[in-house]
Amino acid sequence: MSYEIISGKEIGKAIRIDLFERIQHLKKQGITPGLAVILVGNNPASKTYVSNKQKTCEDLGMHSRSLTFETDLDESDLVKAIHSLNQDPEIHGILVQLPLPEHITESKVLAAISPEKDVDGFHPISIGKMMLGQDTFLPCTPHGVMKLLEHSGIQLLGKHAVVVGRSHIVGKPMGQLLLQKDATVTYAHSKTVNLKDITLQADILVVAVGRAKMITSDYVKAGAVVIDVGMNRDENNRLCGDVDFDSVKEVASYITPVPGGVGPMTITMLMENTVQSAENELRQDKSS
Ligand code: NDP
């Protein structure tokens, strides 16, 4: 079976060209979209994610600020820093890099971010609005996957979408967004019995588990669209997904690679949410 690669690198680039225009337009009206990224501790992977986000901001001509704290930071001090960013007119988006150290309650910290600046889409208000199909910032990774499907012309209406993984930041919102586009959605997770029987029914298979190459071709129906969210290291320390690309490409109709698939879209959607937030501010200024 012949397959097509869905390139997040290419689709993300096209979206960023459009974003660049929107940023220029905002700048002409005196607003530079600004993103603040908070990093607690020195997890090497988190440091890399933060610096990639800053670099993308800079490439697009956006304002970027990074706040770095020691691992033993008090939760209350972190919340205070967020409250101060909530009031800062230069900042339109606030992102707290996860995971946080164990002594800090993630839900408390995420809830401290003003929903108007919640460009990661993790605030309970953002999640509630997403569930209701209301206008809000959507979580970047599932939103990025939706853009990949849309740009590739993949129809979702009436299709059976199986999402493997049910985390708050990827799996759960992923299923919701697919449901809103009229797919019939099944969630699978670590307690699912006979996973293969379920994934074999998928017209659209989205995998967000965090286990290198766990989905092999025998889990995939011929002609399925396969989206690999996973980011893992293989036995040679090379970046790889949750899908065994080499075997699955032989049965899939469309497939995302790792790297170059979902990853570049996550960062692009973060930039888009920040630009959107700045545009919201401009609209409010004009109407007041
Ligand atoms: P979590 O660890 O939060 O969630 C993993 C999910 O996978 C859980 O719901 C878990 O089930 C399920 N799971 C674990 N083992 C199995 C199994 N054997 N069979 C079926 N389901 C299983 O991870 P995230 O959602 O945060 O991330 C998932 C992957 O996506 C990771 O590799 C991460 O690095 C990557 N990622 C990539 C991003 C990108 O931009 N490309 C962005 C965010 C994440 P249960 O709930 O029962 O425990």
Side-chain angles (χ1 to χ4, degrees):
M1 167 138 217
S2 71
Y3 66 94
E4 274 189 47
I5 288 190
I6 302 179
S7 168
K9 209 168 157 189
E10 293 305 316
I11 296 171
K13 201 189 279 173
I15 295 174
R16 289 200 296 278
I17 289 171
D18 177 53
L19 274 181
F20 186 75
E21 294 300 317
R22 287 165 65 184
I23 294 163
Q24 295 309 308
H25 183 70
L26 280 163
K27 283 182 161 177
K28 280 189 195 133
Q29 310 201 49
I31 295 185
T32 301
L35 175 69
V37 182
I38 299 177
L39 175 64
V40 184
N42 28 18
N43 177 324
S46 293
K47 276 186 176 169
T48 307
Y49 295 145
V50 166
S51 72
N52 287 345
K53 286 164 189 170
Q54 281 181 293
K55 185 175 177 311
T56 312
C57 270
E58 283 152 20
D59 289 349
L60 285 169
M62 289 164 56
H63 171 63
S64 121
R65 194 184 302 168
S66 104
L67 283 80
T68 308
F69 297 104
E70 296 295 329
T71 313
D72 60 0
L73 169 80
D74 266 0
E75 183 180 282
S76 60
D77 289 333
L78 180 54
V79 168
K80 253 186 238 160
I82 293 172
H83 285 160
S84 154
L85 292 168
N86 285 342
Q87 303 301 323
D88 190 326
E90 280 190 353
I91 298 300
H92 302 92
I94 303 168
L95 176 147
V96 177
Q97 186 63 49
L98 301 176
L100 288 166
E102 270 182 13
H103 68 282
I104 295 180
T105 311
E106 189 179 292
S107 57
K108 236 189 216 173
V109 170
L110 296 179
I113 299 172
S114 158
E116 283 76 38
K117 298 189 180 187
D118 176 36
V119 289
D120 242 347
F122 297 160
H123 191 286
I125 289 183
S126 310
I127 295 168
K129 284 187 165 178
M130 180 199 66
M131 293 287 290
L132 296 169
Q134 295 176 5
D135 206 17
T136 189
F137 295 121
L138 298 174
C140 300
T141 301
H143 190 195
V145 171
M146 295 307 285
K147 290 278 178 188
L148 287 179
L149 295 169
E150 187 189 314
H151 279 253
S152 307
I154 291 160
Q155 298 300 314
L156 297 173
L157 185 145
K159 296 286 168 63
H160 187 184
V162 174
V163 180
V164 190
R166 56 171 168 179
S167 69
H168 296 323
I169 62 171
V170 188
K172 275 186 194 161
M174 186 71 254
Q176 274 303 314
L177 297 182
L178 289 162
L179 184 65
Q180 281 167 16
K181 292 291 177 196
D182 297 320
T184 301
V185 177
T186 301
Y187 285 101
H189 46 79
S190 71
K191 310 292 185 293
T192 296
V193 179
N194 297 335
L195 177 66
K196 200 184 279 186
D197 291 348
I198 292 164
T199 58
L200 276 169
Q201 294 173 34
D203 301 309
I204 318 281
L205 178 61
V206 183
V207 191
V209 170
R211 296 183 68 168
K213 302 182 189 177
M214 76 170 268
I215 298 293
T216 42
S217 60
D218 48 330
Y219 281 76
V220 180
K221 180 166 92 173
V225 174
V226 180
I227 307 287
D228 188 356
V229 179
M231 280 212 284
N232 316 290
R233 294 275 163 192
D234 70 8
E235 58 283 2
N236 302 313
N237 203 32
R238 272 197 299 258
L239 199 60
C240 72
D242 291 343
V243 173
D244 178 29
F245 184 89
D246 289 336
S247 75
V248 172
K249 72 179 173 26
E250 302 301 333
V251 287
S253 57
Y254 289 86
I255 184 167
T256 58
V258 178
V262 176
M265 294 304 289
T266 298
I267 212 157
T268 301
M269 300 331 290
L270 175 68
M271 300 300 134
E272 182 170 90
N273 281 350
T274 308
V275 171
Q276 182 64 57
S277 174
E279 289 171 345
N280 293 348
E281 186 198 293
L282 183 65
R283 241 193 323 275
Q284 273 165 11
D285 286 353
K286 281 186 175 164
S287 65
S288 60

